[in-house]
Amino acid sequence: MGYASLKMIHVTSVAISYLLFSLRGIWMMQESTVLQQRWVKITPHVVDTVLLTSAIALAIMIHQDPINNSWLSAKITGLLLYIGLGMTALKYGKTRKTRISAWIAAQVVFLYIVLVALTKSPTLFS
Ligand code: HEM
């Protein structure tokens, strides 16, 4: 598969992942039972697997790696933070306040990852 198509798959899965995460946060705040539906539990895993697989393939194709290229280390660190905050927001957060705070923090981290992707710099100044 060509680089451009793979990048399109990566960016599309990024957009769907973000949309699903945001929706699940809204359903969490509304205490909606939609959150318990099977597709809502499974689809994010499928989308996130595509996101990560395409990310790794892109990095390999452009011969960049997280040890030598700090923007990639920043993306991976950001992704781990985003996952941790997402788990707190949607599953492990004990109080409503914790869950909503974690959801907002995850939104900020997500924005940071997108800006790192666009600037190719962990400080966002290229
Ligand atoms: C939630 C996590 C992620 C988000 C939001 C995200 C976002 C993006 C975006 C918006 C682009 C397009 C940039 C452009 O148009 O120039 C991109 C490209 C890319 N991403 Fe990600 N990404 C994520 C995770 C990752 C991870 C974990 C890696 C590394 C293993 C990665 C590696 C790449 C690579 C190599 C490109 C192509 C860069 C280029 O061709 O200019 N991404 N990402």
Side-chain angles (χ1 to χ4, degrees), residues 3 7 10-11 14 51 55 58-59 62 71-72 75-76 79 110 113-114 117-118 120:
Y3 188 78
K7 189 160 154 176
H10 182 62
V11 177
V14 162
L51 192 162
L58 283 171
I62 55 174
W71 71 284
L72 280 185
K75 282 188 91 172
I76 291 172
L79 184 65
F110 189 88
I113 305 174
V114 171
L118 295 175
K120 310 266 185 300

Side-chain angles (χ1 to χ4, degrees), residues 3-45:
Y3 188 78
S5 338
L6 205 55
K7 189 160 154 176
M8 208 170 80
I9 291 173
H10 182 62
V11 177
T12 307
S13 56
V14 162
I16 299 173
S17 168
Y18 178 74
L19 198 74
L20 284 172
F21 176 70
S22 297
L23 272 175
R24 287 159 82 208
I26 292 164
W27 289 327
M28 174 268 289
M29 288 178 233
Q30 295 176 335
E31 288 165 29
S32 164
T33 51
V34 180
L35 222 46
Q36 262 54 262
Q37 285 183 20
R38 223 173 116 77
W39 77 270
V40 177
K41 292 186 168 186
I42 296 170
T43 319
H45 293 296

Side-chain angles (χ1 to χ4, degrees), residues 48 51-52 55 73-84 109 113:
D48 292 341
L51 192 162
L52 198 59
S73 357
K75 282 188 91 172
I76 291 172
T77 310
L79 184 65
L80 294 175
L81 256 173
Y82 174 63
I83 293 170
V109 171
I113 305 174

